[in-house]
Amino acid sequence: MEKRRIFVDMDGVLAIFNPEKSIEEIAVPGYFIDLEPMNEVVKAINLLIEANEQDIYILSAYLNDTAKQEKIDWLNKYLPAIEDSQMLFVPYGTDKSEYVLTATKQRSSRDILLDDFTFNLKNWHGIGVKLLNKINNTKRSWNGFVTNGNADAWTIYTSLKGISYATS
C-alpha cells in the first residue's frame, strides 16, 4: 500500500500566528521569517518525517512572493528534511483541496490535512485534523479529529499517527 499523505499548514500550526495583525501588517517583509515556531508541533512533524511511514507535505497560503520565500526559508530552518517538492504554497484565498489536485495531479480521500482553520478543514477532500492552539476553536464548529498543539511532541506525533492508522 502506498504511503498516506499528510499535509501540514504553517500559520497557527507550525508557527505562532498573530491574528491581531492586519493583512497589510503581515504583508511586510520580515513578518513570516520572524514567526516563532510552535516547538512541540515542529518536533512532532520531524518525528513523522523520521518515521518515514507517511509522506509529509507543507500546505500553506501566501500573500506575495516575499512571504512565500520567507516561508521557504523558515521551513529550511525548522524542518530541513522537507524537500522543495514537499512544499506547496497556495495563493491566498485559493481552496487548499483544489490546489493539491492541481499541484500534485492526484487527490485521495485518504489524504490528511492538519490545519487550525475550520474553513480549510471543512473544504478538504480527505480527513481533516484540527490543531488546537491558543487562539482557535472558540466557536467549537469543528466536529472531526483534533490534536492539541499545546501538548508535547510525542503526544502530537502519536495522535497523528493514530489517526492515520485508524482511518486507513
Side-chain angles (χ1 to χ4, degrees):
M1 179 179 272
E2 73 180 60
K3 290 182 187 176
R4 170 169 267 168
R5 300 186 308 174
I6 299 178
F7 295 86
V8 182
D9 180 41
M10 286 184 70
D11 308 315
V13 175
L14 292 173
I16 298 170
F17 189 76
N18 184 347
E20 296 172 10
K21 298 277 186 183
S22 68
I23 292 287
E24 293 78 19
E25 290 173 302
I26 66 174
V28 173
Y31 177 80
F32 287 100
I33 193 67
D34 291 335
L35 287 178
E36 290 295 319
M38 291 187 66
N39 288 317
E40 297 302 308
V41 179
V42 170
K43 287 177 192 175
I45 299 305
N46 275 313
L47 288 170
L48 285 169
I49 293 167
E50 289 170 21
N52 198 30
E53 295 172 356
Q54 294 93 4
D55 287 330
I56 308 301
Y57 292 84
I58 303 304
L59 182 59
S60 184
Y62 69 96
L63 294 168
N64 55 40
D65 290 339
T66 300
K68 181 179 176 181
Q69 185 58 55
E70 287 185 10
K71 287 184 175 205
I72 291 168
D73 294 342
W74 191 98
L75 288 166
N76 287 333
K77 179 178 181 179
Y78 293 104
L79 289 166
I82 292 285
E83 298 178 15
D84 290 348
S85 63
Q86 296 167 283
M87 298 179 193
L88 303 177
F89 294 100
V90 181
Y92 183 76
T94 302
D95 183 302
K96 287 184 174 184
S97 188
E98 291 299 319
Y99 188 82
V100 165
L101 177 59
T102 302
T104 67
K105 307 295 186 240
Q106 61 180 337
R107 184 165 67 180
S108 169
S109 61
R110 297 179 68 240
D111 289 341
I112 293 174
L113 173 64
L114 176 63
D115 206 312
D116 64 319
F117 190 39
T118 299
F119 178 82
N120 292 333
L121 296 166
K122 286 185 174 180
N123 288 335
W124 188 245
H125 59 269
I127 298 153
V129 180
K130 185 168 186 120
L131 183 101
L132 303 179
N133 56 35
K134 294 178 181 176
I135 60 172
N136 68 354
N137 204 35
T138 57
K139 297 177 185 171
R140 309 244 189 285
S141 59
W142 176 248
N143 296 317
F145 292 107
V146 297
T147 193
N148 187 342
N150 299 312
D152 62 273
W154 185 254
T155 300
I156 297 166
Y157 165 75
T158 55
S159 172
L160 292 171
K161 211 169 150 180
I163 292 167
S164 179
Y165 289 120
T167 57
S168 288

